[in-house]
Amino acid sequence: MTTDDSHHDDASPDEDRRQSGGAWREPDTRSGGDPVLPDGGTEAEGADEATLDPWGSSTIADYRKLFEQFGIEEFDEVLPEVPNPHYLMRRGVIFGHRDYRPVAEAMRNDDPFAALSGFMPTGDPHIGHKLVFDEIIWHQQQGGDAYALIADLEAHSARGLSWDEIDEHATNYLLSLLALGFDPDEGTLYRQSDNREVQDLAFELGAEANFSELQAIYDFDGETDISHMQSVVTQMADILYPQLDEPKPTVIPVGPDQDPHMRLARDLAARMRYFGVTEAFASFEADGVERTLLRQAYDAREDYAEDADRPRCGEAADWLREHQPAPADARESVVAKLDEAGKEPLRPRIRFLDRNATDEAFEALIEAIDGEKRVYDEHIDTFDLDHAEAEELARQVELDNGGYGFQPPSSIYHRFMTGLTGGKMSSSIPASHISLLDDPEDGYDKVKSATTGGRSTAEEQREKGGKADECPVYELYAYLLSGDDDEFAKEVYDECVGGERLCGGCKEQAAELMEQFLEEHQEKRAEWEDKLAELDIDLDSDRAPTSAD
Ligand code: TRP
Ligand code: SF4
């Protein structure tokens, strides 16, 4: 194994593999057909209902459902836009995203962007958390503002941990994050309870969300305690915190169980905005589908308008009735609106909607729009701006008038690691995971006694090859032990499925690499231990030892 990444300067081998869907890449092989699951191997109960519960067990029955049901997008689609993608991206461990493009674009253009994630200090940090540490650190190395926070309010309210336990675990998370390469001089570390700006922002965001909404998203009920709800708005504030000084693309690397939080945060970010910017064709309001039909009618104006420079709404209605473009529902409603507008010209425009603006900000926007404009009670139509210019202007006026101007936060999702004993990797089952604090020899032993995707006899393995796709040991190679070395990961995979690699030797090699990794990691942790006191984060909470339950 090498840690030399020079071969990545030559992107073409990776590129080829990506194109051909080379078998060693897990997502390609796994999304192939049968629901062979990365976390547990067998379909969990209720597998056709993908559920995402941030406080439940994090077994995701089938990652494909996340794309279909929740609209998470496949990471592979943005991968070509990411400069120097991290190996977790290249290997499909990071499998999904929401709206990552603005982050990739900022990275390419050297524009400001941020990455933030949070850790609930409920136990020791383990190799699953390392994925998120690595993701934050990598974004920091790509030039992003990096943030890591300790979700102590959440651990106390949702998991009932005492403040003493929280302090101890928090220190352990931070040491591992630092040992893995987080630069605290460039980045920001905080704990939720200690960050006044986050608390203030949480309060403001809480004014935009109500109980019914949290109930629908998180299944909260009358028994849910209020601190738990407060921890939700706190997380919303965490997610938007990097944008407090200025709006910027921000990525939140998390497991897919956190997606409900992301959807709410994206909603709240939009709800806080002063103005909405949409396209319109006449004075009336239209939704997205109706707008598509209006666009078609407008584009066809030469065919029907008495004066093609001044098509009338009524003429467009006749054209739509005659041509019957789909969908029928939207067509009927838009035809009715056009009929009603009658002689009014059909004319494309950019519309600013007043969402959350103060009166002063609305006035300031009117003032700031150059060229032809028409001012209504709740919106302004403009004729000389394109969409991007209008978005920019709306944000600027909002910022100048005291608003946040948030961009919707983006997220990336990684696969959960399979437990070493099969089933899911769980902090509460020590043999299922490798803690970053495990004695290196224990780490060695855990790998040696891990379940594998091997066949029952060596003979059968030579003949049929091992099942690397179902093997927790292979996962260790792909997620951690190969580091940046794609060649090595591929070699293990190919040798395994080709029957040249037998589990005994394979586990021995993995166990040695794990032992070595833990040794090095813990040496670096020890170095940081002395410097921890210098950091700008309080690891000794001065709280009364109440029970959280
Ligand atoms: N809820 C997260 C967890 O359970 C922790 C968390 C708190 C978080 N605030 C966050 C994660 C902000 C991402 C971004 O682990
Ligand atoms: Fe897993 Fe290695 Fe055995 Fe293949 S050879 S099944 S990768 S332990």
Side-chain angles (χ1 to χ4, degrees):
M1 167 179 168
T2 78
T3 44
D4 171 4
D5 64 354
S6 56
H7 64 278
H8 297 297
D9 296 337
D10 172 11
S12 53
D14 290 351
E15 200 53 49
D16 288 342
R17 228 176 280 133
R18 205 175 292 146
Q19 298 308 335
S20 64
W24 73 286
R25 280 194 76 235
E26 295 156 83
D28 296 346
T29 54
R30 279 179 178 154
S31 56
D34 61 350
V36 171
L37 312 172
D39 42 13
T42 50
E43 284 210 46
E45 258 177 79
D48 28 333
E49 264 301 292
T51 47
L52 289 175
D53 175 0
W55 300 284
S57 98
S58 42
T59 304
I60 302 297
D62 183 344
Y63 286 94
R64 277 171 303 168
K65 300 233 165 71
L66 301 180
F67 302 131
E68 286 152 25
Q69 277 184 21
F70 297 101
I72 291 174
E73 294 173 78
E74 295 192 38
F75 196 81
D76 266 7
E77 285 162 19
V78 276
L79 186 60
E81 297 171 37
V82 182
N84 318 308
H86 189 271
Y87 70 82
L88 293 172
M89 297 171 168
R90 302 198 299 266
R91 288 179 207 155
V93 177
I94 293 170
F95 70 93
H97 75 104
R98 270 188 201 277
D99 204 14
Y100 190 64
R101 282 195 178 82
V103 180
E105 191 182 331
M107 234 180 262
R108 288 197 306 274
N109 300 339
D110 265 331
D111 287 337
F113 68 96
L116 169 142
S117 198
F119 303 92
M120 229 202 309
T122 50
D124 287 348
H126 60 61
I127 54 176
H129 298 112
K130 178 181 181 286
L131 302 178
V132 183
F133 294 149
D134 286 345
E135 291 173 70
I136 299 176
I137 294 163
W138 179 81
H139 282 94
Q140 182 174 46
Q141 289 163 349
Q142 306 310 303
D145 293 339
Y147 296 76
L149 65 102
I150 300 297
D152 59 349
L153 295 182
E154 187 180 354
H156 191 65
S157 63
R159 289 284 167 80
L161 265 84
S162 75
W163 294 106
D164 280 349
E165 289 169 304
I166 288 173
D167 286 352
E168 182 195 327
H169 295 148
T171 309
N172 279 328
Y173 276 79
L174 291 178
L175 284 174
S176 280
L177 176 69
L178 293 161
L180 289 167
F182 184 89
D183 177 353
D185 297 329
E186 293 295 320
T188 306
L189 300 170
Y190 70 87
R191 52 193 292 166
Q192 287 178 323
S193 64
D194 244 6
N195 189 326
R196 180 64 209 237
E197 279 178 306
V198 163
Q199 290 306 316
D200 289 350
L201 178 57
F203 189 80
E204 299 293 338
L205 293 168
E208 293 291 328
N210 63 29
F211 176 67
S212 310
E213 198 174 8
L214 297 203
Q215 189 174 30
I217 300 173
Y218 301 110
D219 241 358
F220 284 175
D221 59 26
E223 300 298 305
T224 307
D225 64 69
I226 295 180
S227 300
H228 193 169
M229 294 183 218
Q230 192 185 339
S231 82
V232 170
V233 286
T234 304
Q235 177 155 353
M236 298 304 107
D238 290 331
I239 292 171
L240 295 169
Y241 180 59
Q243 299 196 58
L244 271 190
D245 53 345
E246 61 165 337
K248 58 173 91 63
T250 302
V251 60
I252 314 295
V254 276
D257 61 311
Q258 299 291 303
D259 187 56
H261 290 308
M262 286 312 305
R263 278 177 284 156
L264 179 59
R266 289 170 59 80
D267 264 7
L268 291 179
R271 273 180 232 167
M272 298 293 282
R273 295 298 308 275
Y274 282 12
F275 309 106
V277 176
T278 61
E279 246 182 295
F281 288 85
S283 56
F284 57 79
E285 290 295 333
D287 67 22
V289 195
E290 292 172 339
R291 275 201 295 274
T292 310
L293 295 172
L294 288 167
R295 161 68 55 199
Q296 286 173 26
Y298 181 76
D299 289 345
R301 64 193 179 278
E302 303 271 357
D303 295 352
Y304 61 77
E306 212 174 285
D307 174 1
D309 289 336
R310 245 178 126 68
R312 308 280 175 176
C313 289
E315 292 173 319
D318 293 340
W319 183 85
L320 282 170
R321 257 192 295 268
E322 194 183 318
H323 287 80
Q324 308 248 319
D329 290 359
R331 188 181 62 241
E332 271 171 39
S333 65
V334 90
V335 163
K337 289 175 188 178
L338 286 164
D339 276 336
E340 165 101 5
K343 290 236 174 311
E344 185 188 329
L346 186 72
R347 190 178 167 202
R349 64 201 70 191
I350 293 291
R351 175 166 296 166
F352 293 93
L353 301 163
D354 180 353
R355 290 241 171 90
N356 234 343
T358 56
D359 292 346
E360 295 75 44
F362 193 67
E363 289 305 317
L365 180 63
I366 297 169
E367 203 54 31
I369 296 168
D370 285 332
E372 189 184 344
K373 60 193 151 194
R374 229 159 271 169
V375 178
Y376 301 82
D377 270 357
E378 304 264 302
H379 70 261
I380 309 165
D381 283 356
T382 66
F383 299 87
D384 301 319
L385 288 175
D386 66 27
H387 201 108
E389 289 165 342
E391 284 280 2
E392 181 63 36
L393 186 67
R395 177 168 277 123
Q396 201 48 56
V397 170
E398 177 175 345
L399 289 170
D400 292 345
N401 287 274
Y404 298 109
F406 290 134
Q407 296 193 18
S410 316
S411 49
I412 51 176
Y413 301 107
H414 59 79
R415 288 168 184 271
F416 292 117
M417 290 180 95
T418 309
L420 298 174
T421 43
K424 75 183 186 91
M425 182 172 283
S426 154
S427 316
S428 49
I429 311 168
S432 80
H433 71 267
I434 292 176
S435 155
L436 295 173
L437 277 57
D438 272 348
D439 195 64
E441 276 154 42
D442 291 344
Y444 175 96
D445 291 341
K446 282 185 187 176
V447 177
K448 286 286 273 199
S449 38
T451 11
T452 70
R455 309 280 175 177
S456 27
T457 63
E459 199 176 46
E460 193 188 345
Q461 177 118 342
R462 283 202 192 88
E463 198 183 307
K464 298 189 185 149
K467 291 186 270 186
D469 291 319
E470 295 168 35
C471 178
V473 178
Y474 176 67
E475 254 180 46
L476 294 178
Y477 280 105
Y479 287 46
L480 189 153
L481 301 173
S482 306
D484 208 32
D485 191 346
D486 289 349
E487 294 300 326
F488 179 61
K490 179 174 162 45
E491 191 181 295
V492 173
Y493 188 95
D494 288 348
E495 287 178 3
C496 170
V497 299
E500 297 145 52
R501 193 173 255 269
L502 298 182
C503 298
C506 183
K507 286 210 276 188
E508 175 61 31
Q509 187 181 16
E512 281 168 19
L513 289 169
M514 185 59 78
E515 184 173 356
Q516 195 184 324
F517 162 74
L518 288 172
E519 259 164 31
E520 285 168 13
H521 180 64
Q522 289 168 18
E523 271 165 34
K524 289 193 200 120
R525 281 177 55 101
E527 287 166 27
W528 275 104
E529 218 151 338
D530 306 329
K531 292 188 267 180
L532 209 53
E534 294 161 27
L535 297 183
D536 189 21
I537 181 166
D538 185 2
L539 293 163
D540 224 346
S541 44
D542 204 4
R543 298 211 176 207
T546 53
S547 151
D549 310 315

